[in-house]
Amino acid sequence: MRWLKVYPSLLRAYFNLSLEYRGQVVIWILSGILPLIMMLVWLSLTESGPVQGYTAQDFISYYLMVILMRRMCGVWIIWDLNRDIRMGNLSAQLLRPLDPVHLHLARTFARHPLQLILVGPPVAAAAFFLGARYAMPLAQLPLLLLVMLGAILIEFFVQMCIGALAFWITQAIAVMEVWFYIRALLSGWVVPIDLFPPAVTAALQYLPFRYVLSLPLEITLGRLTLPQIGYGLLVQYSWALFFFLLYRLLWARGIREYSAVGA
Amino acid sequence: MPHIIVEQLCKYYQVHHKEAGLIGSLRAFFNRQYRDVKAVDDVNFTIEAGEMVGFLGPNGAGKTTTLKVLSGLLYPTRGRAVVLGFTPYERKRAFLEQFTLVMGNKNQLLWDLPAMESFLVNRAIYDIPKAQYEATFKELNDLLDLEPLLKKQVRKLSLGERMKCELAAALLHRPKILFLDEPTLGLDVTMQVAIRNFVKAYNQRYGATVILTSHYMADVTELTRRVIVIDHGRILYDGHLQQLVEQVAPYKLLSIVMRSPCPPEILGQYGEVEKVEGVKATLRVERGRASEIASRLLTHIKLDDVLIEEPPVEDIIRQVFAESKENRESGE
């Protein structure tokens, strides 16, 4: 557990790095406006009455929170990871007595404060003026944070797995695209998952997608009871564990490959 | 006990062959042709604690591959390497804490942040106690004059400034072994000398073992007495640079400046004439008789100046490689 001691330094350095890239972050945030467009689409549909129980206010509340949660549960390591492996920066990392996963994990968490500062106020203002409503009891806040952490961990280890493919194939980023699109569709980013056909919604309870975005959204909207959250946490952390183990396996194999063919 | 032991080390790569163009790509896709490349082929040497050794060899000779095996980035195909009693590729923490690899063509610092940030991260990663960190930092700062560089983003530093920071970052944990792969690559002469002096000082101060590869012969002749000459993955020579010079070049060069020009035929009586330019001439003479011939020249021809020189090491190394190539070709 001595690597824990490294985190303050890593988080500080990577937070400074995120400030260095603040312009880029703003552009990213602005480019992620698809949820707003979807919101407008749904709003025009609700003019003739609620859609499957969703009122205009429900859609506004939902999509504003999508924007915030996407920033707070997002992970953006795949490009760094891919470049490190393919360009040989990984060699330098392997020479130091610290597993490179900690670099990526620290970088992930170090990004969130800036995201919150940039996205939090506008979303809060919009929520206030548009009359969004979040019915989550305050007592569920610790659970919400735990669920957000779980969401980050799933996405993080998925990206570590896909990134590790770069040990064998040059187009790991293309695989990432597939994950991005499927996740965008099925995680609740574009469409609330309970608007899918019931069979799909039911299946999504067991697949990982709901747990990287929709679950924390559902909690903030006050839709889940404590037992439901508990069950969600169980499934969510099981997926996190699954992808963690898969990453360990792929990474160990990949390093062996890397050490065999060189970089 | 030696710091580094290398026994019958082999590292072969499988590379696949691909012809240029679309047809070549398609053919490679369906029917990959593999071929073994012997990057390191039965290499043996040991290096004692505190020794400085230069690896000499052309591009692709196996120098970097050897360093990568020694630092645990590559598995050997056969044979073994033992560094400080560790098997490098196991990458045990206790091993990683005791050496460093600096590659002149790779950046190991956080590119968009001032170098100081990388130093602090390394301090945490190597778990360096505060007092020791401060002492080491002060020493490195004295030797490399880092202070003015530390607050600038790494990407804004010049190549030489960046290399200073690279070296400092790589040495904060006071490694016992330094692998320096082309540390002066692309640097101007002043900066080369600065880096060279620094490596020398570090070696003396900490008794560190150093393996150095470089294209600049001066790096090697200045820093190391022992050289290992590698070509095509094999060791051609391992020993003192001076002995190599004597072995390969059994001659010395006499550079003379004459009062008045003298015909080459007359100079030819003293040794093989390399060149004559007006009153300046260079003669190649038998190593053992150099001073005797010089004094004969002085008595028979009016000279302003005479200098006995070793042939340039570059020439000698080139000769070694040329001979090895000939041997290979005649063997095939």
Side-chain angles (χ1 to χ4, degrees):
Chain A
M1 292 304 253
R2 66 193 297 174
W3 49 262
L4 265 177
K5 285 165 68 181
V6 183
Y7 270 78
S9 304
L10 286 180
L11 287 172
R12 221 210 36 194
Y14 285 130
F15 177 69
N16 290 342
L17 201 59
S18 76
L19 294 182
E20 205 59 46
Y21 298 145
R22 58 195 177 277
Q24 197 184 339
V25 171
V26 170
I27 291 168
W28 276 353
I29 290 170
L30 291 178
S31 67
I33 56 165
L34 187 61
L36 286 181
I37 296 169
M38 290 309 298
M39 181 170 84
L40 295 177
V41 171
W42 288 114
L43 285 181
S44 69
L45 289 176
T46 53
E47 275 166 17
S48 54
V51 179
Q52 292 193 32
Y54 273 81
T55 64
Q57 191 203 32
D58 289 336
F59 279 121
I60 290 171
S61 310
Y62 184 87
Y63 281 108
L64 285 178
M65 191 50 85
V66 164
I67 292 172
L68 183 63
M69 275 302 162
R70 178 75 192 103
R71 301 327 296 184
M72 296 318 294
C73 300
V75 175
W76 296 270
I77 57 163
I78 183 78
W79 298 274
D80 290 329
L81 186 59
N82 190 59
R83 196 191 47 225
D84 287 350
I85 294 173
R86 281 163 43 75
M87 306 301 283
N89 296 340
L90 182 63
S91 296
Q93 295 170 5
L94 291 175
L95 292 174
R96 299 192 292 186
L98 181 77
D99 190 318
V101 69
H102 298 301
L103 302 177
H104 298 293
L105 207 51
R107 178 173 287 207
T108 295
F109 287 118
R111 275 186 173 142
H112 291 132
L114 184 67
Q115 306 258 3
L116 184 61
I117 292 167
L118 290 174
V119 177
V123 167
F128 178 76
F129 288 113
L130 298 176
R133 213 163 54 86
Y134 301 102
M136 180 186 84
L138 207 56
Q140 288 185 5
L141 186 63
L143 288 175
L144 174 66
L145 293 176
L146 206 55
V147 163
M148 286 166 69
L149 176 67
I152 292 171
L153 291 177
I154 292 180
E155 180 67 20
F156 180 82
F157 288 118
V158 166
Q159 290 193 20
M160 287 299 286
C161 288
I162 297 174
L165 297 179
F167 284 118
W168 297 276
I169 59 175
T170 45
Q171 301 300 332
I173 290 288
V175 179
M176 195 66 210
E177 297 273 305
V178 175
W179 164 257
F180 275 173
Y181 287 120
I182 298 177
R183 188 201 57 198
L185 191 64
L186 299 181
S187 70
W189 190 59
V190 201
V191 184
I193 57 172
D194 52 351
L195 294 187
F196 285 119
V200 175
T201 308
L204 286 177
Q205 305 302 309
Y206 302 100
L207 294 171
F209 310 105
R210 176 189 179 220
Y211 300 93
V212 294
L213 185 67
S214 185
L215 183 64
L217 289 176
E218 293 165 31
I219 296 175
T220 59
L221 294 168
R223 289 196 209 149
L224 300 185
T225 63
L226 276 181
Q228 284 171 322
I229 297 176
Y231 178 73
L233 273 168
L234 186 71
V235 180
Q236 188 188 41
Y237 276 82
S238 302
W239 276 114
L241 182 67
F242 170 78
F243 285 115
F244 169 74
L245 294 174
L246 186 62
Y247 136 74
R248 294 299 296 178
L249 183 78
L250 285 172
W251 192 259
R253 290 267 168 99
I255 292 288
R256 208 178 303 156
E257 181 79 10
Y258 189 80
S259 311
V261 301
Chain B
M1 199 189 83
H3 262 179
I4 299 170
I5 304 168
V6 171
E7 283 172 351
Q8 294 169 342
L9 186 72
C10 297
K11 179 69 198 178
Y12 301 163
Y13 295 118
Q14 271 203 334
V15 293
H16 65 265
H17 237 23
K18 187 177 103 53
E19 285 157 45
L22 184 63
I23 302 287
S25 298
L26 282 174
R27 194 176 292 152
F29 184 81
F30 289 108
N31 180 19
R32 275 204 173 180
Q33 299 287 330
Y34 287 98
R35 184 167 67 88
D36 266 346
V37 171
K38 297 178 176 179
V40 174
D41 192 14
D42 194 20
V43 159
N44 298 277
F45 59 83
T46 57
I47 295 175
E48 298 295 329
E51 231 184 319
M52 286 220 255
V53 178
F55 275 14
L56 292 176
N59 287 333
K63 305 183 300 272
T64 303
T65 301
T66 308
L67 288 188
K68 282 187 172 172
V69 170
L70 291 179
S71 48
L73 289 174
L74 290 174
Y75 295 128
T77 306
R78 268 205 305 279
R80 67 185 196 124
V82 181
V83 179
L84 292 167
F86 293 94
T87 303
Y89 66 79
E90 289 172 359
R91 284 205 289 276
K92 296 224 170 80
R93 184 179 173 99
F95 169 63
L96 297 176
E97 280 175 344
Q98 296 189 73
F99 81 96
T100 202
L101 168 66
V102 177
M103 291 182 273
N105 58 352
K106 285 262 164 66
N107 168 53
Q108 307 187 18
L109 301 166
L110 292 163
W111 188 247
D112 291 306
L113 290 177
M116 198 64 207
E117 295 280 358
S118 297
F119 290 5
L120 292 175
V121 166
N122 275 11
R123 189 200 138 190
I125 288 178
Y126 287 99
D127 200 13
I128 307 166
K130 196 170 183 345
Q132 187 197 322
Y133 170 81
E134 277 166 6
T136 313
F137 177 78
K138 192 177 169 305
E139 286 175 1
L140 294 172
N141 189 22
D142 289 347
L143 291 167
L144 290 169
D145 194 20
L146 299 169
E147 209 74 66
L149 313 177
L150 291 175
K151 300 222 163 113
K152 273 201 264 179
Q153 288 151 330
V154 170
R155 65 162 189 265
K156 291 184 180 157
L157 297 175
S158 76
L159 192 57
E161 291 172 335
R162 206 185 81 210
M163 188 42 68
K164 283 180 167 185
C165 293
E166 289 275 352
L167 275 171
L171 297 174
L172 282 171
H173 60 290
R174 286 191 201 163
K176 289 198 184 114
I177 297 186
L178 273 59
F179 300 128
L180 306 176
D181 193 15
E182 302 282 353
T184 54
L185 195 71
L187 302 187
D188 64 38
V189 178
T190 324
M191 198 55 88
Q192 282 178 30
V193 172
I195 300 289
R196 221 175 274 157
N197 288 341
F198 169 73
V199 172
K200 200 183 281 181
Y202 186 89
N203 163 266
Q204 280 162 3
R205 192 168 298 185
Y206 298 104
T209 307
V210 179
I211 298 185
L212 172 91
T213 79
S214 180
H215 278 103
Y216 301 111
M217 205 52 71
D219 281 349
V220 177
T221 51
E222 286 283 308
L223 286 177
T224 67
R225 288 199 305 148
R226 176 178 169 195
V227 294
I228 295 178
V229 181
I230 306 180
D231 193 19
H232 284 77
R234 286 178 168 272
I235 292 187
L236 300 181
Y237 178 81
D238 178 358
H240 281 186
L241 189 57
Q242 186 55 34
Q243 278 165 12
L244 176 68
V245 171
E246 287 165 20
Q247 187 182 318
V248 176
Y251 60 88
K252 285 195 177 185
L253 297 176
L254 283 185
S255 297
I256 54 173
V257 181
M258 299 164 283
R259 289 267 165 82
S260 53
C262 180
E265 304 87 65
I266 297 192
L267 289 176
Q269 296 168 2
Y270 297 91
E272 201 180 316
V273 181
E274 287 241 313
K275 65 175 186 208
V276 185
E277 274 172 15
V279 293
K280 287 186 185 169
T282 308
L283 299 180
R284 192 190 266 225
V285 300
E286 210 177 300
R287 181 169 285 278
R289 296 180 56 209
S291 46
E292 177 209 325
I293 292 174
S295 66
R296 271 173 52 206
L297 270 167
L298 274 169
T299 46
H300 297 143
I301 303 175
K302 291 201 165 137
L303 294 182
D304 269 341
D305 199 7
V306 60
L307 193 63
I308 305 176
E309 286 175 318
E310 288 288 358
V313 181
E314 276 88 350
D315 291 354
I316 291 176
I317 299 298
R318 209 173 297 137
Q319 199 174 329
V320 173
F321 293 138
E323 279 168 18
S324 116
K325 191 165 179 230
E326 258 168 46
N327 290 343
R328 260 200 326 278
E329 278 164 3
S330 63
E332 269 163 15

